[in-house]
PDB file of all heavy atoms in Angstrom:
ATOM      1  N   ASP U 295      54.324 100.135  61.813  1.00 95.00           N
ATOM      2  CA  ASP U 295      54.025 101.017  60.644  1.00 95.00           C
ATOM      3  C   ASP U 295      52.926 102.053  61.048  1.00 95.00           C
ATOM      4  O   ASP U 295      53.137 103.269  60.682  1.00 95.00           O
ATOM      5  CB  ASP U 295      53.605 100.185  59.453  1.00 95.00           C
ATOM      6  CG  ASP U 295      53.306 101.049  58.243  1.00 95.00           C
ATOM      7  OD1 ASP U 295      54.207 101.732  57.787  1.00 95.00           O
ATOM      8  OD2 ASP U 295      52.089 100.973  57.783  1.00 95.00           O
ATOM      9  N   TYR U 296      51.832 101.608  61.685  1.00 95.00           N
ATOM     10  CA  TYR U 296      50.835 102.526  62.093  1.00 95.00           C
ATOM     11  C   TYR U 296      51.397 103.626  62.949  1.00 95.00           C
ATOM     12  O   TYR U 296      51.147 104.837  62.669  1.00 95.00           O
ATOM     13  CB  TYR U 296      49.802 101.790  62.827  1.00 95.00           C
ATOM     14  CG  TYR U 296      48.732 102.647  63.488  1.00 95.00           C
ATOM     15  CD1 TYR U 296      47.733 103.295  62.723  1.00 95.00           C
ATOM     16  CD2 TYR U 296      48.857 102.931  64.947  1.00 95.00           C
ATOM     17  CE1 TYR U 296      46.775 104.215  63.323  1.00 95.00           C
ATOM     18  CE2 TYR U 296      47.890 103.736  65.444  1.00 95.00           C
ATOM     19  CZ  TYR U 296      46.904 104.360  64.682  1.00 95.00           C
ATOM     20  OH  TYR U 296      46.032 105.182  65.305  1.00 95.00           O
ATOM     21  N   PHE U 297      52.160 103.318  64.050  1.00 94.00           N
ATOM     22  CA  PHE U 297      52.645 104.347  64.953  1.00 94.00           C
ATOM     23  C   PHE U 297      53.687 105.197  64.251  1.00 94.00           C
ATOM     24  O   PHE U 297      53.739 106.449  64.445  1.00 94.00           O
ATOM     25  CB  PHE U 297      53.167 103.700  66.261  1.00 94.00           C
ATOM     26  CG  PHE U 297      52.097 103.362  67.116  1.00 94.00           C
ATOM     27  CD1 PHE U 297      51.703 102.043  67.359  1.00 94.00           C
ATOM     28  CD2 PHE U 297      51.463 104.360  67.743  1.00 94.00           C
ATOM     29  CE1 PHE U 297      50.709 101.749  68.206  1.00 94.00           C
ATOM     30  CE2 PHE U 297      50.377 104.105  68.714  1.00 94.00           C
ATOM     31  CZ  PHE U 297      50.003 102.754  68.900  1.00 94.00           C
ATOM     32  N   SER U 298      54.466 104.663  63.348  1.00 95.00           N
ATOM     33  CA  SER U 298      55.454 105.464  62.633  1.00 95.00           C
ATOM     34  C   SER U 298      54.699 106.516  61.845  1.00 95.00           C
ATOM     35  O   SER U 298      55.141 107.651  61.790  1.00 95.00           O
ATOM     36  CB  SER U 298      56.271 104.532  61.768  1.00 95.00           C
ATOM     37  OG  SER U 298      57.155 105.255  60.915  1.00 95.00           O
ATOM     38  N   ARG U 299      53.715 106.096  61.054  1.00 95.00           N
ATOM     39  CA  ARG U 299      52.934 107.047  60.240  1.00 95.00           C
ATOM     40  C   ARG U 299      52.150 108.036  61.089  1.00 95.00           C
ATOM     41  O   ARG U 299      51.995 109.182  60.733  1.00 95.00           O
ATOM     42  CB  ARG U 299      51.993 106.273  59.247  1.00 95.00           C
ATOM     43  CG  ARG U 299      52.907 105.523  58.180  1.00 95.00           C
ATOM     44  CD  ARG U 299      52.016 104.970  57.082  1.00 95.00           C
ATOM     45  NE  ARG U 299      51.100 103.906  57.640  1.00 95.00           N
ATOM     46  CZ  ARG U 299      50.005 103.425  56.957  1.00 95.00           C
ATOM     47  NH1 ARG U 299      49.645 103.983  55.901  1.00 95.00           N
ATOM     48  NH2 ARG U 299      49.351 102.435  57.521  1.00 95.00           N
ATOM     49  N   MET U 300      51.504 107.553  62.126  1.00 94.00           N
ATOM     50  CA  MET U 300      50.715 108.357  62.907  1.00 94.00           C
ATOM     51  C   MET U 300      51.512 109.531  63.642  1.00 94.00           C
ATOM     52  O   MET U 300      51.130 110.631  63.806  1.00 94.00           O
ATOM     53  CB  MET U 300      49.989 107.615  64.020  1.00 94.00           C
ATOM     54  CG  MET U 300      49.114 108.440  64.896  1.00 94.00           C
ATOM     55  SD  MET U 300      48.237 107.509  66.155  1.00 94.00           S
ATOM     56  CE  MET U 300      49.425 107.435  67.406  1.00 94.00           C
ATOM     57  N   LEU U 301      52.772 109.118  64.032  1.00 94.00           N
ATOM     58  CA  LEU U 301      53.586 110.040  64.816  1.00 94.00           C
ATOM     59  C   LEU U 301      54.501 110.894  63.945  1.00 94.00           C
ATOM     60  O   LEU U 301      55.370 111.699  64.454  1.00 94.00           O
ATOM     61  CB  LEU U 301      54.318 109.385  65.925  1.00 94.00           C
ATOM     62  CG  LEU U 301      53.429 108.631  66.950  1.00 94.00           C
ATOM     63  CD1 LEU U 301      54.303 107.813  67.955  1.00 94.00           C
ATOM     64  CD2 LEU U 301      52.495 109.493  67.670  1.00 94.00           C
ATOM     65  N   TYR U 302      54.465 110.646  62.651  1.00 96.00           N
ATOM     66  CA  TYR U 302      55.426 111.255  61.744  1.00 96.00           C
ATOM     67  C   TYR U 302      55.382 112.743  61.889  1.00 96.00           C
ATOM     68  O   TYR U 302      54.419 113.439  61.946  1.00 96.00           O
ATOM     69  CB  TYR U 302      55.094 110.955  60.349  1.00 96.00           C
ATOM     70  CG  TYR U 302      56.009 111.587  59.334  1.00 96.00           C
ATOM     71  CD1 TYR U 302      57.246 111.157  59.049  1.00 96.00           C
ATOM     72  CD2 TYR U 302      55.509 112.735  58.652  1.00 96.00           C
ATOM     73  CE1 TYR U 302      58.105 111.784  58.117  1.00 96.00           C
ATOM     74  CE2 TYR U 302      56.412 113.369  57.713  1.00 96.00           C
ATOM     75  CZ  TYR U 302      57.649 112.873  57.477  1.00 96.00           C
ATOM     76  OH  TYR U 302      58.472 113.518  56.576  1.00 96.00           O
ATOM     77  N   GLY U 303      56.597 113.410  62.038  1.00 97.00           N
ATOM     78  CA  GLY U 303      56.764 114.852  62.094  1.00 97.00           C
ATOM     79  C   GLY U 303      56.440 115.484  63.367  1.00 97.00           C
ATOM     80  O   GLY U 303      56.461 116.665  63.613  1.00 97.00           O
ATOM     81  N   ILE U 304      56.069 114.719  64.455  1.00 96.00           N
ATOM     82  CA  ILE U 304      55.755 115.211  65.772  1.00 96.00           C
ATOM     83  C   ILE U 304      57.078 115.226  66.552  1.00 96.00           C
ATOM     84  O   ILE U 304      57.655 114.179  66.796  1.00 96.00           O
ATOM     85  CB  ILE U 304      54.691 114.290  66.521  1.00 96.00           C
ATOM     86  CG1 ILE U 304      53.448 114.348  65.636  1.00 96.00           C
ATOM     87  CG2 ILE U 304      54.431 114.857  67.903  1.00 96.00           C
ATOM     88  CD1 ILE U 304      52.355 113.482  66.223  1.00 96.00           C
ATOM     89  N   PRO U 305      57.493 116.457  67.087  1.00 97.00           N
ATOM     90  CA  PRO U 305      58.725 116.423  67.854  1.00 97.00           C
ATOM     91  C   PRO U 305      58.621 115.623  69.093  1.00 97.00           C
ATOM     92  O   PRO U 305      57.586 115.520  69.756  1.00 97.00           O
ATOM     93  CB  PRO U 305      58.860 117.989  68.154  1.00 97.00           C
ATOM     94  CG  PRO U 305      57.832 118.698  67.285  1.00 97.00           C
ATOM     95  CD  PRO U 305      56.761 117.687  66.931  1.00 97.00           C
ATOM     96  N   ASP U 306      59.821 115.248  69.578  1.00 96.00           N
ATOM     97  CA  ASP U 306      59.900 114.430  70.831  1.00 96.00           C
ATOM     98  C   ASP U 306      59.350 115.105  72.041  1.00 96.00           C
ATOM     99  O   ASP U 306      58.663 114.464  72.847  1.00 96.00           O
ATOM    100  CB  ASP U 306      61.376 114.068  71.079  1.00 96.00           C
ATOM    101  CG  ASP U 306      61.912 112.997  70.100  1.00 96.00           C
ATOM    102  OD1 ASP U 306      61.156 112.304  69.492  1.00 96.00           O
ATOM    103  OD2 ASP U 306      63.200 112.818  70.096  1.00 96.00           O
ATOM    104  N   ASP U 307      59.519 116.414  72.132  1.00 97.00           N
ATOM    105  CA  ASP U 307      59.011 117.109  73.378  1.00 97.00           C
ATOM    106  C   ASP U 307      57.520 117.161  73.314  1.00 97.00           C
ATOM    107  O   ASP U 307      56.839 117.067  74.336  1.00 97.00           O
ATOM    108  CB  ASP U 307      59.581 118.594  73.443  1.00 97.00           C
ATOM    109  CG  ASP U 307      59.173 119.417  72.276  1.00 97.00           C
ATOM    110  OD1 ASP U 307      59.128 118.929  71.110  1.00 97.00           O
ATOM    111  OD2 ASP U 307      59.144 120.654  72.448  1.00 97.00           O
ATOM    112  N   THR U 308      56.835 117.190  72.074  1.00 97.00           N
ATOM    113  CA  THR U 308      55.381 117.167  71.998  1.00 97.00           C
ATOM    114  C   THR U 308      54.951 115.674  72.389  1.00 97.00           C
ATOM    115  O   THR U 308      53.961 115.591  73.055  1.00 97.00           O
ATOM    116  CB  THR U 308      54.949 117.463  70.590  1.00 97.00           C
ATOM    117  OG1 THR U 308      55.428 118.779  70.311  1.00 97.00           O
ATOM    118  CG2 THR U 308      53.445 117.407  70.428  1.00 97.00           C
ATOM    119  N   LEU U 309      55.674 114.736  71.931  1.00 95.00           N
ATOM    120  CA  LEU U 309      55.270 113.319  72.362  1.00 95.00           C
ATOM    121  C   LEU U 309      55.370 113.041  73.831  1.00 95.00           C
ATOM    122  O   LEU U 309      54.581 112.492  74.346  1.00 95.00           O
ATOM    123  CB  LEU U 309      56.193 112.344  71.573  1.00 95.00           C
ATOM    124  CG  LEU U 309      56.009 112.109  70.119  1.00 95.00           C
ATOM    125  CD1 LEU U 309      57.044 111.265  69.458  1.00 95.00           C
ATOM    126  CD2 LEU U 309      54.590 111.713  69.836  1.00 95.00           C
ATOM    127  N   GLN U 310      56.360 113.736  74.357  1.00 97.00           N
ATOM    128  CA  GLN U 310      56.478 113.558  75.839  1.00 97.00           C
ATOM    129  C   GLN U 310      55.284 114.290  76.579  1.00 97.00           C
ATOM    130  O   GLN U 310      54.771 113.826  77.595  1.00 97.00           O
ATOM    131  CB  GLN U 310      57.849 114.172  76.368  1.00 97.00           C
ATOM    132  CG  GLN U 310      58.096 113.922  77.950  1.00 97.00           C
ATOM    133  CD  GLN U 310      58.080 112.458  78.191  1.00 97.00           C
ATOM    134  OE1 GLN U 310      58.749 111.619  77.619  1.00 97.00           O
ATOM    135  NE2 GLN U 310      57.245 112.021  79.155  1.00 97.00           N
ATOM    136  N   THR U 311      54.833 115.435  76.045  1.00 97.00           N
ATOM    137  CA  THR U 311      53.696 116.156  76.583  1.00 97.00           C
ATOM    138  C   THR U 311      52.518 115.253  76.538  1.00 97.00           C
ATOM    139  O   THR U 311      51.654 115.197  77.476  1.00 97.00           O
ATOM    140  CB  THR U 311      53.458 117.447  75.856  1.00 97.00           C
ATOM    141  OG1 THR U 311      54.697 118.262  76.088  1.00 97.00           O
ATOM    142  CG2 THR U 311      52.288 118.175  76.425  1.00 97.00           C
ATOM    143  N   VAL U 312      52.331 114.556  75.341  1.00 93.00           N
ATOM    144  CA  VAL U 312      51.125 113.730  75.156  1.00 93.00           C
ATOM    145  C   VAL U 312      51.221 112.531  76.130  1.00 93.00           C
ATOM    146  O   VAL U 312      50.176 112.203  76.710  1.00 93.00           O
ATOM    147  CB  VAL U 312      51.110 113.183  73.695  1.00 93.00           C
ATOM    148  CG1 VAL U 312      50.069 112.088  73.513  1.00 93.00           C
ATOM    149  CG2 VAL U 312      50.819 114.360  72.726  1.00 93.00           C
ATOM    150  N   LEU U 313      52.419 111.886  76.330  1.00 94.00           N
ATOM    151  CA  LEU U 313      52.552 110.830  77.290  1.00 94.00           C
ATOM    152  C   LEU U 313      52.208 111.321  78.708  1.00 94.00           C
ATOM    153  O   LEU U 313      51.526 110.625  79.423  1.00 94.00           O
ATOM    154  CB  LEU U 313      53.941 110.322  77.248  1.00 94.00           C
ATOM    155  CG  LEU U 313      54.280 109.387  75.970  1.00 94.00           C
ATOM    156  CD1 LEU U 313      55.735 109.049  76.002  1.00 94.00           C
ATOM    157  CD2 LEU U 313      53.431 108.259  75.877  1.00 94.00           C
ATOM    158  N   ASN U 314      52.636 112.534  79.037  1.00 96.00           N
ATOM    159  CA  ASN U 314      52.352 112.990  80.372  1.00 96.00           C
ATOM    160  C   ASN U 314      50.829 113.259  80.467  1.00 96.00           C
ATOM    161  O   ASN U 314      50.248 112.954  81.589  1.00 96.00           O
ATOM    162  CB  ASN U 314      53.032 114.431  80.581  1.00 96.00           C
ATOM    163  CG  ASN U 314      54.554 114.224  80.720  1.00 96.00           C
ATOM    164  OD1 ASN U 314      55.046 113.115  80.950  1.00 96.00           O
ATOM    165  ND2 ASN U 314      55.227 115.329  80.518  1.00 96.00           N
ATOM    166  N   PHE U 315      50.192 113.732  79.479  1.00 93.00           N
ATOM    167  CA  PHE U 315      48.741 113.904  79.419  1.00 93.00           C
ATOM    168  C   PHE U 315      48.054 112.539  79.734  1.00 93.00           C
ATOM    169  O   PHE U 315      47.169 112.368  80.576  1.00 93.00           O
ATOM    170  CB  PHE U 315      48.245 114.482  78.089  1.00 93.00           C
ATOM    171  CG  PHE U 315      46.757 114.355  77.817  1.00 93.00           C
ATOM    172  CD1 PHE U 315      45.962 115.236  78.396  1.00 93.00           C
ATOM    173  CD2 PHE U 315      46.317 113.362  77.067  1.00 93.00           C
ATOM    174  CE1 PHE U 315      44.527 115.154  78.155  1.00 93.00           C
ATOM    175  CE2 PHE U 315      44.913 113.177  76.824  1.00 93.00           C
ATOM    176  CZ  PHE U 315      44.044 114.061  77.328  1.00 93.00           C
ATOM    177  N   PHE U 316      48.480 111.543  79.035  1.00 91.00           N
ATOM    178  CA  PHE U 316      47.828 110.207  79.206  1.00 91.00           C
ATOM    179  C   PHE U 316      48.083 109.609  80.572  1.00 91.00           C
ATOM    180  O   PHE U 316      47.217 109.001  81.197  1.00 91.00           O
ATOM    181  CB  PHE U 316      48.346 109.204  78.155  1.00 91.00           C
ATOM    182  CG  PHE U 316      47.561 109.442  76.853  1.00 91.00           C
ATOM    183  CD1 PHE U 316      48.267 109.721  75.651  1.00 91.00           C
ATOM    184  CD2 PHE U 316      46.175 109.360  76.696  1.00 91.00           C
ATOM    185  CE1 PHE U 316      47.644 109.927  74.433  1.00 91.00           C
ATOM    186  CE2 PHE U 316      45.433 109.630  75.567  1.00 91.00           C
ATOM    187  CZ  PHE U 316      46.222 109.873  74.356  1.00 91.00           C
ATOM    188  N   GLN U 317      49.288 109.909  81.130  1.00 95.00           N
ATOM    189  CA  GLN U 317      49.596 109.386  82.399  1.00 95.00           C
ATOM    190  C   GLN U 317      48.675 110.015  83.491  1.00 95.00           C
ATOM    191  O   GLN U 317      48.078 109.347  84.407  1.00 95.00           O
ATOM    192  CB  GLN U 317      51.043 109.618  82.810  1.00 95.00           C
ATOM    193  CG  GLN U 317      51.920 108.636  82.004  1.00 95.00           C
ATOM    194  CD  GLN U 317      53.463 109.018  82.187  1.00 95.00           C
ATOM    195  OE1 GLN U 317      53.785 110.134  82.548  1.00 95.00           O
ATOM    196  NE2 GLN U 317      54.317 108.098  81.812  1.00 95.00           N
ATOM    197  N   GLN U 318      48.484 111.371  83.322  1.00 96.00           N
ATOM    198  CA  GLN U 318      47.664 112.008  84.239  1.00 96.00           C
ATOM    199  C   GLN U 318      46.138 111.631  84.165  1.00 96.00           C
ATOM    200  O   GLN U 318      45.521 111.479  85.113  1.00 96.00           O
ATOM    201  CB  GLN U 318      47.774 113.569  84.066  1.00 96.00           C
ATOM    202  CG  GLN U 318      46.979 114.358  85.129  1.00 96.00           C
ATOM    203  CD  GLN U 318      47.455 114.085  86.564  1.00 96.00           C
ATOM    204  OE1 GLN U 318      48.593 114.369  86.901  1.00 96.00           O
ATOM    205  NE2 GLN U 318      46.477 113.677  87.398  1.00 96.00           N
ATOM    206  N   THR U 319      45.761 111.561  82.873  1.00 92.00           N
ATOM    207  CA  THR U 319      44.334 111.160  82.712  1.00 92.00           C
ATOM    208  C   THR U 319      44.129 109.752  83.124  1.00 92.00           C
ATOM    209  O   THR U 319      43.074 109.488  83.703  1.00 92.00           O
ATOM    210  CB  THR U 319      43.811 111.371  81.245  1.00 92.00           C
ATOM    211  OG1 THR U 319      44.760 110.565  80.339  1.00 92.00           O
ATOM    212  CG2 THR U 319      43.827 112.788  80.898  1.00 92.00           C
ATOM    213  N   ASN U 320      45.054 108.845  82.920  1.00 90.00           N
ATOM    214  CA  ASN U 320      44.893 107.446  83.455  1.00 90.00           C
ATOM    215  C   ASN U 320      44.774 107.495  84.936  1.00 90.00           C
ATOM    216  O   ASN U 320      43.922 106.675  85.510  1.00 90.00           O
ATOM    217  CB  ASN U 320      46.161 106.624  82.971  1.00 90.00           C
ATOM    218  CG  ASN U 320      46.006 106.212  81.521  1.00 90.00           C
ATOM    219  OD1 ASN U 320      44.877 106.347  80.922  1.00 90.00           O
ATOM    220  ND2 ASN U 320      47.090 105.697  81.047  1.00 90.00           N
ATOM    221  N   GLU U 321      45.600 108.258  85.627  1.00 95.00           N
ATOM    222  CA  GLU U 321      45.515 108.296  87.039  1.00 95.00           C
ATOM    223  C   GLU U 321      44.151 108.929  87.494  1.00 95.00           C
ATOM    224  O   GLU U 321      43.434 108.329  88.403  1.00 95.00           O
ATOM    225  CB  GLU U 321      46.554 109.362  87.546  1.00 95.00           C
ATOM    226  CG  GLU U 321      46.765 109.235  89.103  1.00 95.00           C
ATOM    227  CD  GLU U 321      47.993 110.141  89.534  1.00 95.00           C
ATOM    228  OE1 GLU U 321      49.067 110.000  88.954  1.00 95.00           O
ATOM    229  OE2 GLU U 321      47.763 110.945  90.377  1.00 95.00           O
ATOM    230  N   ASN U 322      43.639 109.854  86.805  1.00 95.00           N
ATOM    231  CA  ASN U 322      42.354 110.505  87.157  1.00 95.00           C
ATOM    232  C   ASN U 322      41.272 109.502  86.877  1.00 95.00           C
ATOM    233  O   ASN U 322      40.254 109.316  87.685  1.00 95.00           O
ATOM    234  CB  ASN U 322      42.061 111.767  86.345  1.00 95.00           C
ATOM    235  CG  ASN U 322      43.032 112.867  86.628  1.00 95.00           C
ATOM    236  OD1 ASN U 322      43.644 112.890  87.595  1.00 95.00           O
ATOM    237  ND2 ASN U 322      43.070 113.849  85.748  1.00 95.00           N
ATOM    238  N   ILE U 323      41.429 108.716  85.739  1.00 92.00           N
ATOM    239  CA  ILE U 323      40.346 107.668  85.412  1.00 92.00           C
ATOM    240  C   ILE U 323      40.351 106.577  86.508  1.00 92.00           C
ATOM    241  O   ILE U 323      39.269 106.106  86.879  1.00 92.00           O
ATOM    242  CB  ILE U 323      40.541 107.171  83.992  1.00 92.00           C
ATOM    243  CG1 ILE U 323      40.255 108.183  82.975  1.00 92.00           C
ATOM    244  CG2 ILE U 323      39.796 105.813  83.760  1.00 92.00           C
ATOM    245  CD1 ILE U 323      40.716 107.895  81.613  1.00 92.00           C
ATOM    246  N   SER U 324      41.520 106.184  86.957  1.00 90.00           N
ATOM    247  CA  SER U 324      41.622 105.200  88.022  1.00 90.00           C
ATOM    248  C   SER U 324      40.862 105.658  89.247  1.00 90.00           C
ATOM    249  O   SER U 324      40.121 104.823  89.900  1.00 90.00           O
ATOM    250  CB  SER U 324      43.028 104.833  88.381  1.00 90.00           C
ATOM    251  OG  SER U 324      43.684 104.256  87.311  1.00 90.00           O
ATOM    252  N   HIS U 325      41.003 106.948  89.583  1.00 94.00           N
ATOM    253  CA  HIS U 325      40.244 107.476  90.690  1.00 94.00           C
ATOM    254  C   HIS U 325      38.775 107.459  90.420  1.00 94.00           C
ATOM    255  O   HIS U 325      38.030 107.115  91.411  1.00 94.00           O
ATOM    256  CB  HIS U 325      40.662 108.905  91.083  1.00 94.00           C
ATOM    257  CG  HIS U 325      42.049 109.057  91.594  1.00 94.00           C
ATOM    258  ND1 HIS U 325      42.375 108.536  92.830  1.00 94.00           N
ATOM    259  CD2 HIS U 325      43.191 109.610  91.095  1.00 94.00           C
ATOM    260  CE1 HIS U 325      43.660 108.862  93.079  1.00 94.00           C
ATOM    261  NE2 HIS U 325      44.158 109.388  92.007  1.00 94.00           N
ATOM    262  N   ILE U 326      38.373 107.802  89.210  1.00 94.00           N
ATOM    263  CA  ILE U 326      36.911 107.743  88.968  1.00 94.00           C
ATOM    264  C   ILE U 326      36.413 106.337  89.089  1.00 94.00           C
ATOM    265  O   ILE U 326      35.361 106.182  89.677  1.00 94.00           O
ATOM    266  CB  ILE U 326      36.714 108.297  87.504  1.00 94.00           C
ATOM    267  CG1 ILE U 326      36.985 109.682  87.369  1.00 94.00           C
ATOM    268  CG2 ILE U 326      35.229 107.970  86.988  1.00 94.00           C
ATOM    269  CD1 ILE U 326      37.070 110.305  85.930  1.00 94.00           C
ATOM    270  N   ILE U 327      37.066 105.415  88.477  1.00 91.00           N
ATOM    271  CA  ILE U 327      36.612 103.997  88.635  1.00 91.00           C
ATOM    272  C   ILE U 327      36.436 103.547  90.158  1.00 91.00           C
ATOM    273  O   ILE U 327      35.522 102.874  90.487  1.00 91.00           O
ATOM    274  CB  ILE U 327      37.532 103.074  87.833  1.00 91.00           C
ATOM    275  CG1 ILE U 327      37.387 103.354  86.386  1.00 91.00           C
ATOM    276  CG2 ILE U 327      37.291 101.555  88.220  1.00 91.00           C
ATOM    277  CD1 ILE U 327      38.495 102.674  85.484  1.00 91.00           C
ATOM    278  N   GLU U 328      37.486 103.941  90.907  1.00 91.00           N
ATOM    279  CA  GLU U 328      37.503 103.566  92.332  1.00 91.00           C
ATOM    280  C   GLU U 328      36.340 104.336  93.063  1.00 91.00           C
ATOM    281  O   GLU U 328      35.637 103.647  93.868  1.00 91.00           O
ATOM    282  CB  GLU U 328      38.775 103.906  92.995  1.00 91.00           C
ATOM    283  CG  GLU U 328      38.924 103.394  94.427  1.00 91.00           C
ATOM    284  CD  GLU U 328      38.823 101.841  94.424  1.00 91.00           C
ATOM    285  OE1 GLU U 328      39.307 101.177  93.540  1.00 91.00           O
ATOM    286  OE2 GLU U 328      38.181 101.378  95.446  1.00 91.00           O
ATOM    287  N   GLN U 329      36.050 105.511  92.680  1.00 93.00           N
ATOM    288  CA  GLN U 329      34.984 106.248  93.279  1.00 93.00           C
ATOM    289  C   GLN U 329      33.651 105.613  92.965  1.00 93.00           C
ATOM    290  O   GLN U 329      32.723 105.516  93.769  1.00 93.00           O
ATOM    291  CB  GLN U 329      34.999 107.601  92.815  1.00 93.00           C
ATOM    292  CG  GLN U 329      36.039 108.536  93.455  1.00 93.00           C
ATOM    293  CD  GLN U 329      36.193 109.961  92.879  1.00 93.00           C
ATOM    294  OE1 GLN U 329      35.533 110.169  91.818  1.00 93.00           O
ATOM    295  NE2 GLN U 329      37.083 110.709  93.385  1.00 93.00           N
ATOM    296  N   GLU U 330      33.499 105.123  91.684  1.00 91.00           N
ATOM    297  CA  GLU U 330      32.253 104.562  91.236  1.00 91.00           C
ATOM    298  C   GLU U 330      32.015 103.228  92.021  1.00 91.00           C
ATOM    299  O   GLU U 330      30.870 102.880  92.374  1.00 91.00           O
ATOM    300  CB  GLU U 330      32.201 104.336  89.727  1.00 91.00           C
ATOM    301  CG  GLU U 330      32.203 105.556  88.929  1.00 91.00           C
ATOM    302  CD  GLU U 330      31.074 106.443  89.234  1.00 91.00           C
ATOM    303  OE1 GLU U 330      29.893 106.001  89.415  1.00 91.00           O
ATOM    304  OE2 GLU U 330      31.221 107.720  89.362  1.00 91.00           O
TER     305      GLU U 330
END
């Protein structure tokens, strides 16, 4: 219910862009953690 309401009205292509953003930032964060 939370995700349904949170993502209401957001087009699929925008959701894919957000997922791509999180994948890239997760990769960057993994590098930061390893560097630390």
Side-chain angles (χ1 to χ4, degrees):
D295 180 59
Y296 171 77
F297 281 105
S298 174
R299 291 189 292 160
M300 183 182 82
L301 301 175
Y302 178 78
I304 300 174
D306 287 343
D307 61 329
T308 302
L309 289 175
Q310 188 56 55
T311 300
V312 170
L313 287 174
N314 292 342
F315 165 81
F316 282 122
Q317 287 170 345
Q318 183 62 57
T319 57
N320 285 347
E321 191 176 310
N322 294 346
I323 289 168
S324 293
H325 288 296
I326 291 169
I327 291 169
E328 191 57 39
Q329 288 171 354
E330 294 302 317

